[in-house]
Amino acid sequence: MGYFDAASSAPLHPVARQALLASLDEGWADPARLYREGRRARMLLDAAREAAAEAVGCRADELVFTSSGSRAVHTGVAGALAGRRRTGRHLIVSAVEHSSVLHSAEAHEADGGSVTQVPVDRGGAVDPAVYGEALRGDTALACLQSANHEVGTEQPVAAVAELCREAGVPLLVDAAQSLGWRPVEGGWSLLTGSAHKWGGPSGVGLLVVRKGVRFAAQGPVDERESGRAPGFENIPAIVAAAASLRAVRAEAAEEAVRLRELTDRIRVRVPQLVTDAEVVGDPVRRLPGVVTFSCLYVDGEALLHELDREGFSVSSGSSCTSSTLTPSHVLRAMGVLSEGNVRVSLPLGAAEEEVARFLEVLPRAVAAVREKLGAPVSETVVREADVLVVDSLGKRCPIPVIELAKVIGDVPVGGLVRVLSDDEAARLDIPAWCEMRGQEYVGEEPAEQGSAYLVRRVS
């Protein structure tokens, strides 16, 4: 079976399993107690903290363990904002941050604070100069992920951290996706991570707050984890998380080269094997094992089911695979095609044979989905003066794009097609289709229902 969704959750590393089982017998007691069992538990906890701090590149007393990576983000953002409340209530995030960061920003805004979202380029990266322009005198905190969880693009953290340092603003880095590969470079102030992303057990996150950073933990104060992570520590899981982080780091350099070769193969072969496919994300500055692509005229959920039947587990940022019925905020911010989106994230040890089999299976899976979607219903196409109108109201992408593709040849060169759609994904997918097919996207107009998207035939 090809488990290709390690960016969501990596398989438990063998070292993590061994450490977890071994520490179940020794790490069950309260590490705050002075009797023998408590001292043993404290020794395990301290050793895990030292190991994790060494991997991160910080002091042990700057690192605390939390119940998840999301909890680490929420605690870090809230604590840093509260600690610098006298400076101001302005928060900066990038447009492609993990939902845990964006949800923290929403909560801050709802509480009266202000938020600036820094845009990204088509590869998914922020421009340090643009990020720097967002810094203000009342900026309390800036946030930037080390690498994107959907497309794998690495961010210029060191450059942004330097700008933040010059402005006297702490930078929080969500390093969940990259921490298993290398320490985060640059003068960051706060950092978060999540063990299940690097092959540790779920339910363990880490939060680092550098000495000198103003920080005020929110909520009821607990005596554990420096008052920043309330509740009894799950010592066996923490020990396993630290042990697996050290283990994956030991093999990271060699494995990164191997996985990058495999993902490069996917990046090159997918457009050759699948017509109308777009590989997204930065081709160079990216995580070793992540590659993302989108396919025109494909329902993302249906494609995932087809691949699952063939034995491959992948994820998608298409709107049709989410409960919100809107495309991924990451793909939307990048301005790339969202329909038929597939993210392949290879785990450590992924077999070359499985990648080859995936490339063999993918073309027929895409073809099967496209065939099932069929041709547009003829009565959805009418003419208004010199404009061909496609009524795709009530239809989810990729149907509006498919119907557009079917009729573009029915108008003369220079003629217009007006696509009516009430699906949010059409706002992203129709312009992306125009760019891929060499047609002109004229723009969007309000309609009685939904929106009207105007496309001019160029060729």
Side-chain angles (χ1 to χ4, degrees):
M1 298 292 286
Y3 179 76
F4 288 176
D5 196 22
S8 291
S9 189
L12 192 65
H13 194 282
V15 168
R17 184 183 302 277
Q18 294 168 5
L20 181 65
L21 294 175
S23 57
L24 284 173
D25 291 332
E26 298 290 331
W28 52 268
D30 188 342
R33 302 306 176 206
L34 299 180
Y35 42 71
R36 182 189 308 108
E37 295 84 356
R39 293 197 304 273
R40 273 203 225 99
R42 169 55 63 180
M43 288 176 62
L44 288 173
L45 181 58
D46 289 346
R49 197 183 315 277
E50 290 281 353
E54 181 182 0
V56 170
C58 66
R59 293 169 38 158
D61 59 355
E62 294 174 329
L63 185 150
V64 299
F65 293 106
T66 65
S67 58
S68 69
S70 292
R71 173 53 59 192
V73 167
H74 296 162
T75 300
V77 171
L81 287 171
R84 285 175 48 82
R85 193 179 181 106
R86 290 184 180 181
T87 299
R89 303 203 64 201
H90 178 232
L91 170 67
I92 302 174
V93 300
S94 84
V96 293
E97 295 296 317
H98 187 267
S99 59
S100 60
V101 175
L102 298 182
H103 290 161
S104 291
E106 291 170 1
H108 176 62
E109 201 166 25
D111 192 41
S114 61
V115 177
T116 296
Q117 271 199 15
V118 179
V120 296
D121 60 23
R122 194 169 174 83
V126 300
D127 181 337
V130 175
Y131 200 105
E133 292 170 358
L135 293 165
R136 308 187 324 208
D138 64 338
T139 302
L141 178 66
C143 299
L144 182 64
Q145 60 190 188
S146 57
N148 187 259
H149 49 292
E150 289 194 29
V151 299
T153 297
E154 294 180 327
Q155 300 291 351
V157 172
V160 171
E162 178 60 22
L163 293 171
C164 289
R165 185 194 65 78
E166 293 173 357
V169 175
L171 176 67
L172 183 150
V173 177
D174 170 17
Q177 290 297 333
S178 71
L179 206 52
W181 295 108
R182 66 183 73 88
V184 177
E185 298 179 352
W188 48 266
S189 302
L190 302 96
L191 181 142
T192 62
S194 184
H196 73 101
K197 301 289 188 179
W198 65 66
S202 59
V204 179
L206 58 83
L207 167 65
V208 178
V209 182
R210 294 284 199 192
K211 292 296 181 183
V213 175
R214 292 186 178 276
F215 190 91
Q218 300 301 285
V221 176
D222 194 295
E223 70 276 9
R224 299 181 187 275
E225 295 301 299
S226 304
R228 294 172 181 169
F232 197 96
E233 298 94 341
N234 185 347
I235 294 177
I238 287 173
V239 169
S244 59
L245 181 56
R246 175 178 286 182
V248 298
R249 279 288 186 80
E251 56 195 31
E254 183 177 350
E255 186 67 358
V257 172
R258 196 182 70 84
L259 291 186
R260 194 174 294 278
E261 290 176 351
L262 293 177
T263 52
D264 281 344
R265 188 179 308 173
I266 297 173
R267 290 182 68 87
V268 171
R269 292 291 289 154
V270 164
Q272 296 173 347
L273 296 169
V274 180
T275 58
D276 299 315
E278 178 184 19
V279 180
V280 301
D282 194 290
V284 179
R285 291 182 53 84
R286 59 184 176 83
L287 294 172
V290 178
V291 57
T292 304
F293 56 89
S294 300
C295 308
L296 279 174
Y297 322 132
V298 171
D299 177 286
E301 185 173 4
L303 180 55
L304 262 59
H305 286 315
E306 286 288 336
L307 291 172
D308 183 43
R309 277 193 284 270
E310 294 283 356
F312 290 100
S313 303
V314 298
S315 63
S316 172
S318 295
S319 60
C320 46
T321 62
S322 70
S323 58
T324 61
L325 300 182
T326 59
S328 148
H329 71 279
V330 172
L331 301 178
R332 188 167 63 245
M334 293 167 61
V336 297
L337 182 70
S338 74
E339 68 184 48
N341 178 258
V342 173
R343 180 189 67 184
V344 173
S345 49
L346 304 177
L348 299 177
E352 182 178 356
E353 296 76 15
E354 282 298 280
V355 171
R357 191 170 72 85
F358 174 79
L359 291 171
E360 179 184 340
V361 164
L362 180 66
R364 65 171 179 265
V366 171
V369 174
R370 286 173 172 170
E371 183 178 0
K372 288 177 183 176
L373 290 174
V377 180
S378 58
E379 58 264 27
T380 64
V381 180
V382 298
R383 284 194 178 275
E384 291 180 357
D386 294 329
V387 180
L388 191 66
V389 180
V390 177
D391 185 355
S392 292
L393 294 170
K395 300 176 182 179
R396 292 171 56 188
C397 278
I399 297 301
V401 181
I402 291 177
E403 296 188 338
L404 167 61
K406 293 289 185 180
V407 303
I408 192 71
D410 296 339
V411 299
V413 173
L416 289 174
V417 177
R418 191 168 187 258
V419 183
L420 302 177
S421 177
D422 50 6
D423 184 352
E424 178 70 21
R427 183 170 287 115
L428 187 63
D429 292 346
I430 290 177
W433 178 89
C434 291
E435 181 168 335
M436 293 175 68
R437 301 315 297 264
Q439 307 299 345
E440 180 187 353
Y441 177 64
V442 178
E444 177 184 349
E445 295 179 346
E448 289 186 14
Q449 289 181 269
S451 297
Y453 302 92
L454 288 175
V455 176
R456 188 185 311 280
R457 183 182 175 188
V458 175
S459 60

